[in-house]
Amino acid sequence: MQTSKHGLVVSAHSADFVWRAGGAIALYARRGWTMTVVCLSFGERGESAKMWRQPGMTLERVKQGRRAEAERAADVLGAQVRFMDLGDYPLRVPDQALYRLADIYRELRPSFVLTHSQRDPYNFDHPLATHVAQEARVIAQAHGHAPGEPVLGAPPVFLFEPHQPEQCEWKPQVLLDISEVWETKRKAFEVMAAQEHLWDYYTRVALQRGVQAARNSDSKIRYAEAYQRVFPQVTGELA
C-alpha cells in the first residue's frame, strides 16, 4: 500500500539527475515524498573522461565508479536510485527495458515526472531518455498492457534544464525555489567527482534562475531550478 507521494526522475546518465533536478529531489524528499531516480545508463563512455585518464582503466571499473557516485549522490539528496545499465554513446533502449520502466510507473504511481529536454543536438542520449520516459508513461496508461493491473493516471511531465537551453529549443516555464535545499544539492555535486568541471557551472545556473524566480514573484529567492512543461496545467484556480 502506498504510504507517501512519489516523484519519478528518468535520467539518461548517472549524473544528470544531480545537476538538473537535485534541488527538486531534495526538496520533495524533505517534504516526506518518496523520490525515485531511474538511470538508464552510467554515462560510462561519454561522461567519464576524468576516470578514463587513469592508467589501466576499464569499462567495468568506470561503470562501478559511476554507480557508486550516483548511489552516494542519491543518498545525499534523499532519493532511491535504480539502474538499467543500457549503455551510453549510444544509449539504446530495447522493448524489455521500456516495459520495465512502464512497470515502474505503475508500481510507484508518481505524482510528477522529471526528465530531459525533447531536443539536444549535443547529446542524443538525452532526448532519447525523454522519449522513453514519455512512451513508458503512455504504455502504463494503456488498459491492454498487463490487463488486470490498475492503469496509470496522468502525472505531469517536467523537462529539466539542458546544458545549452537555447540550442535545445527549451524554454523555462516553471521556476522552482530550491534555496532551502541548495546546500544539499551542492553536497551531491561534490560526490560526482568524475565531472568536477560542472560543479561551478551548475551553481551559476541555480543563482541565475534564482534571480529570475525572485523577479517573477514576491519572494526572496536565491537558488532555483527551471523546468518546461510537456502537458497543460489543469487547475481550478489561477491565483
Side-chain angles (χ1 to χ4, degrees), residues 137-154:
R137 176 183 179 274
V138 171
I139 292 170
Q141 292 174 312
H143 289 269
H145 173 68
E149 292 183 0
V151 299
L152 182 71

Side-chain angles (χ1 to χ4, degrees), residues 36-49:
T36 300
V37 178
V38 174
C39 292
L40 300 184
S41 83
F42 298 112
E44 63 270 17
R45 291 189 180 93
E47 302 199 347
S48 304

Side-chain angles (χ1 to χ4, degrees), residues 12-24:
H13 311 110
S14 63
D16 293 328
F17 72 93
V18 181
W19 317 125
R20 297 174 170 89

Side-chain angles (χ1 to χ4, degrees), residues 104-120:
I104 290 172
Y105 271 96
R106 286 194 174 179
E107 171 196 346
L108 300 179
R109 312 194 71 78
S111 295
F112 63 79
V113 180
L114 309 179
T115 191
H116 295 266
S117 59
Q118 293 176 326
R119 294 177 178 83
D120 191 337

Side-chain angles (χ1 to χ4, degrees), residues 208-224:
Q208 178 70 9
R209 294 306 184 191
V211 170
Q212 295 171 348
R215 288 178 62 85
N216 283 277
S217 69
D218 295 325
S219 303
K220 292 182 179 180
I221 298 172
R222 182 160 176 77
Y223 297 98

Side-chain angles (χ1 to χ4, degrees), residues 57-229:
M57 186 55 65
T58 65
L59 187 65
E60 192 56 38
R61 284 178 59 197
V62 174
K63 284 185 178 183
Q64 291 172 359
R66 294 293 274 171
R67 180 184 185 118
E69 285 184 352
E71 287 174 337
R72 292 198 304 271
D75 187 60
V76 169
L77 296 171
Q80 303 172 355
V81 61
R82 306 186 191 188
F83 301 97
M84 290 198 172
D85 192 12
L86 300 176
D88 71 318
Y89 288 69
L91 172 66
R92 293 292 182 263
V93 182
D95 284 351
Q96 181 181 7
L98 180 62
Y99 293 141
R100 180 180 168 195
L101 184 56
D103 291 341
I104 290 172
Y105 271 96
R106 286 194 174 179
E107 171 196 346
L108 300 179
R109 312 194 71 78
S111 295
F112 63 79
V113 180
L114 309 179
T115 191
H116 295 266
S117 59
Q118 293 176 326
R119 294 177 178 83
D120 191 337
Y122 299 99
N123 193 315
F124 288 88
D125 292 354
H126 292 167
L128 177 57
T130 299
H131 178 91
V132 169
Q134 294 194 70
E135 188 172 15
R137 176 183 179 274
V138 171
I139 292 170
Q141 292 174 312
H143 289 269
H145 173 68
E149 292 183 0
V151 299
L152 182 71
V157 178
F158 298 91
L159 310 179
F160 41 63
E161 184 164 3
H163 195 70
Q164 298 190 54
E166 297 87 352
Q167 303 304 316
C168 298
E169 301 178 32
W170 178 95
K171 184 177 181 180
Q173 296 172 330
V174 178
L175 295 170
L176 179 68
D177 182 3
I178 62 167
S179 302
E180 68 179 87
V181 294
W182 168 252
E183 292 303 324
T184 301
K185 180 173 180 175
R186 177 69 195 198
K187 288 178 182 177
F189 278 13
E190 294 172 2
V191 170
M192 309 307 295
Q195 290 179 281
E196 185 178 352
H197 63 286
L198 293 177
W199 298 359
D200 289 343
Y201 176 85
Y202 279 103
T203 297
R204 293 194 298 271
V205 169
L207 285 166
Q208 178 70 9
R209 294 306 184 191
V211 170
Q212 295 171 348
R215 288 178 62 85
N216 283 277
S217 69
D218 295 325
S219 303
K220 292 182 179 180
I221 298 172
R222 182 160 176 77
Y223 297 98
E225 286 176 346
Y227 295 87
Q228 184 176 48
R229 293 189 66 101

